[in-house]
Amino acid sequence: MENKFMIYNTLTRKKEEFVPLHAPNVGLYVCGPTVYGDAHLGHARPAITFDVLFRYLTNLGYKVRYVRNITDVGHLEHDADDGEDKIAKKARLEQIEPMEVVQYYTLRYHKAMEALNVLPPSIEPHASGHIIEQIELVKEILDNGFAYVSEGSVYFDVAKYDKAHHYGVLSGRNLDDVLNTTRELDGQSEKRNPADFALWKCAQPEHIMRWPSPWSDGFPGWHCECTAMGRKYLGEEFDIHGGGMDLVFPHHECEIAQGVAAMGHQVVKYWMHNNMITINGTKMGKSLGNFITLSEFFEGTHKLLAQAYSPMTIRFFILQAHYRSTVDFSNDALQASEKGLQRLTDALNTLNSLTADSETTVDVSQLRKRCYDAMNDDMNTALVISHLFDASRAINQIADKKATISAADLAELKETFTLFMFDILGLKEERGSSNGREEAFGKVVDMLLEQRLVAKANKDWATSDKIRNELSALGFEIKDGKDGSTWKLNR
């Protein structure tokens, strides 16, 4: 495309033109889930955001290696350096192997992602499968003088690193801020500084997940996995690292420090972060009772839900806001998204039934450019959807014989609408959901309309009106035209 793809870089705090390090190859790393529970709405947003980025970069002609990790070790309670590994805790409570927990929730995560039409990444590495790489990373940081061993654990020396480089380049914090906000936790006596974070933890006797290392039998710190696996699969420098805004500090800040401490330079060129999803203005949390899993959304089983919402309604809801803005869930908002998605689906169905005329009397020629301009402006999916709604109005004008469209413009409109709705935004037609009810009743409705057509041909107006009225009472909207009747199911 002629326009430049601009993305907001959290590291520089400004929009920058996307220029890959090794075009046409692009390295994209996104922090994936910790698999100790069902995927929830908060998991859906980064998955969908970076799925669209993956799709768009591919559409622009880049060859993307997309790495999204699975955290199955090293993620401690409260995301601190002390406590019990969340997966190990789940395994202990349920009296099963930790990898049974991992397998169970990984499969459920994949199922949820498939429902949301999130493409699988190129590589999906597990933290537990890369212990050797994490140990090697810790050795390098120790050898370069930015870490120390204490009682079998290894800690990153934040103060020493801050003197040589700068700790806080991503989050904008300085070391004094970090020290003033660091909580006092059990085990802090092992550290030289409360802000120091674990690179390797010595496992307590009851700790299930452990591996041998030069320092102790233990497990890697949470921050190590992405640095180690990003380097393994994307090299010592790669293009984009993404994740939720809640990961900026401490996780991604620590990743930057680890990379510089080990390799002597910045590893990632562009840092991208999606904002959070709130529920009625409040951050999601199990303790608040507003924590809703994706399966609960799909089935409508949570007490806060007025109904079930299809996966594509959830996806459309997320895409209607810019990825860097906060999205607030409410039943009203999701119901509006459901109706909005249906409008686009109806418009596409109408578009596919249109016939060409000799000239175009609606403004549709710039749709492709407008949509690309929106995507090139830091992936503004909300504006793309707005342009598709504008095109929908033009489509309805043509269908109602209030405007015309030429064959060339009709072909272009169909291609553009499909490209952005399906290929780039990643929406899809659903089966067995609220959107799929039309298909379930389709053959029956078509049969009734054929009977109505016969009745009209026989001037049996009573039967014709009866079929129409009964279909209308069931929620079907019937439109008569010179080429026959069309229908849709209203919600």
Side-chain angles (χ1 to χ4, degrees):
M1 299 302 298
E2 294 181 1
N3 293 343
K4 299 173 182 178
F5 179 32
M6 305 294 291
I7 61 175
Y8 184 85
N9 190 346
T10 310
L11 185 64
T12 60
R13 296 167 182 79
K14 63 182 181 181
K15 291 181 186 178
E16 299 178 9
E17 180 186 356
F18 178 66
V19 181
L21 294 166
H22 307 290
N25 299 309
V26 171
L28 168 63
Y29 191 101
V30 175
C31 288
T34 305
V35 284
Y36 69 96
D38 275 333
H40 53 75
L41 196 59
H43 288 125
R45 193 170 196 194
I48 291 170
T49 296
F50 293 102
D51 178 63
V52 172
L53 177 63
F54 182 28
R55 289 169 181 270
Y56 190 57
L57 290 172
T58 302
N59 174 263
L60 293 179
Y62 295 114
K63 183 180 179 182
V64 185
R65 176 176 285 179
Y66 176 16
V67 180
R68 185 186 67 207
N69 70 290
I70 294 289
T71 297
D72 58 1
V73 65
H75 204 309
L76 300 178
E77 283 297 305
H78 311 300
D79 299 340
D81 288 333
D82 296 277
E84 187 171 7
D85 185 289
K86 292 180 178 180
I87 291 170
K89 180 179 180 180
K90 188 87 171 179
R92 178 177 56 79
L93 292 174
E94 297 186 12
Q95 296 184 325
I96 58 176
E97 285 289 330
M99 286 306 167
E100 287 184 76
V101 175
V102 170
Q103 180 74 354
Y104 178 78
Y105 287 111
T106 299
L107 291 175
R108 290 179 66 83
Y109 175 76
H110 287 159
K111 185 177 179 180
M113 294 303 104
E114 183 179 359
L116 291 168
N117 204 28
V118 170
L119 298 174
S122 312
I123 304 172
E124 191 174 54
H126 287 228
S128 61
H130 297 78
I131 300 298
I132 292 173
E133 289 83 358
Q134 294 177 76
I135 289 174
E136 289 303 311
L137 174 70
V138 177
K139 286 180 180 178
E140 290 176 61
I141 297 172
L142 276 168
D143 290 344
N144 291 338
F146 292 109
Y148 57 92
V149 181
S150 177
E151 299 181 30
S153 295
V154 183
Y155 291 98
F156 191 92
D157 194 330
V158 172
K160 189 171 183 180
Y161 174 85
D162 190 60
K163 288 180 182 178
H165 303 284
H166 173 52
Y167 183 76
V169 292
L170 187 67
S171 62
R173 305 186 188 200
N174 59 48
L175 187 55
D176 289 338
D177 293 335
V178 176
L179 289 172
N180 290 334
T181 57
T182 301
R183 295 173 297 165
E184 288 296 328
L185 298 166
D186 293 339
Q188 293 280 17
S189 59
E190 294 181 4
K191 302 180 183 182
R192 294 176 182 171
N193 188 313
D196 295 348
F197 58 89
L199 299 173
W200 185 265
K201 281 295 295 178
C202 177
Q204 298 302 308
E206 68 276 7
H207 202 96
I208 306 171
M209 302 179 78
R210 59 174 67 217
W211 291 264
S213 79
W215 316 288
S216 64
D217 279 3
F219 52 95
W222 171 37
H223 311 304
C224 287
E225 63 183 85
C226 292
T227 304
M229 293 188 291
R231 175 167 66 172
K232 179 177 177 67
Y233 296 110
L234 299 175
E236 292 202 353
E237 290 182 284
F238 60 89
D239 298 294
I240 303 173
H241 194 318
M245 198 168 286
D246 57 319
L247 297 178
V248 170
F249 187 88
H251 186 46
H252 289 164
E253 194 73 77
C254 293
E255 277 195 61
I256 288 177
Q258 289 171 161
V260 174
M263 292 168 266
H265 58 78
Q266 287 283 344
V267 176
V268 178
K269 187 174 181 180
Y270 305 97
W271 287 86
M272 291 182 68
H273 295 89
N274 63 272
N275 215 323
M276 72 175 73
I277 293 181
T278 57
I279 295 183
N280 296 323
T282 304
K283 186 176 179 180
M284 283 191 303
K286 288 184 178 179
S287 62
L288 299 174
N290 64 357
F291 184 87
I292 308 176
T293 66
L294 290 174
S295 61
E296 288 173 329
F297 272 104
F298 301 159
E299 297 163 8
T301 53
H302 194 280
K303 64 182 180 180
L304 293 180
L305 299 176
Q307 64 180 75
Y309 297 99
S310 74
M312 285 305 98
T313 297
I314 300 294
R315 186 176 181 108
F316 190 74
F317 166 69
I318 289 172
L319 293 176
Q320 279 187 294
H322 192 278
Y323 76 90
R324 287 192 290 113
S325 66
T326 301
V327 174
D328 188 50
F329 155 79
S330 68
N331 281 287
D332 288 345
L334 268 180
Q335 287 164 4
S337 293
E338 187 176 59
K339 291 176 181 177
L341 177 58
Q342 188 62 48
R343 280 177 57 198
L344 285 189
T345 302
D346 290 344
L348 182 61
N349 291 335
T350 301
L351 175 61
N352 289 331
S353 68
L354 294 179
T355 54
D357 211 315
S358 58
E359 63 176 345
T360 301
T361 60
V362 287
D363 180 19
V364 294
S365 62
Q366 295 297 304
L367 177 63
R368 185 184 293 261
K369 182 180 185 303
R370 290 176 186 139
C371 289
Y372 269 117
D373 286 347
M375 287 299 296
N376 286 333
D377 185 14
D378 194 27
M379 220 167 69
N380 194 337
T381 59
L383 189 54
V384 172
I385 290 171
S386 174
H387 292 324
L388 293 179
F389 278 138
D390 289 340
S392 298
R393 285 189 282 273
I395 290 167
N396 291 330
Q397 284 182 310
I398 298 166
D400 292 339
K401 309 302 181 185
K402 296 177 181 177
T404 58
I405 189 167
S406 69
D409 285 342
L410 179 58
E412 165 67 9
L413 183 56
K414 287 180 179 179
E415 184 178 317
T416 301
F417 213 95
T418 300
L419 169 66
F420 282 93
M421 186 170 174
F422 295 147
D423 298 345
I424 292 176
L425 295 184
L427 298 166
K428 67 176 182 179
E429 294 183 17
E430 295 181 294
R431 299 292 181 262
S433 65
S434 53
N435 278 347
R437 286 182 292 174
E438 293 177 15
E439 182 182 0
F441 296 121
K443 292 183 179 180
V444 176
V445 176
D446 289 340
M447 181 180 68
L448 289 172
L449 289 179
E450 286 176 9
Q451 292 179 3
R452 181 169 176 263
L453 190 61
V454 171
K456 289 174 71 175
N458 294 330
K459 297 185 179 181
D460 182 359
W461 309 121
T463 300
S464 172
D465 291 345
K466 186 174 188 299
I467 292 173
R468 180 189 183 97
N469 293 339
E470 290 190 359
L471 285 173
S472 297
L474 291 170
F476 292 94
E477 181 180 333
I478 310 300
K479 284 189 176 182
D480 294 323
K482 66 178 183 179
D483 298 321
S485 298
T486 60
W487 62 271
K488 71 176 182 178
L489 178 61
N490 291 323
R491 296 180 183 278

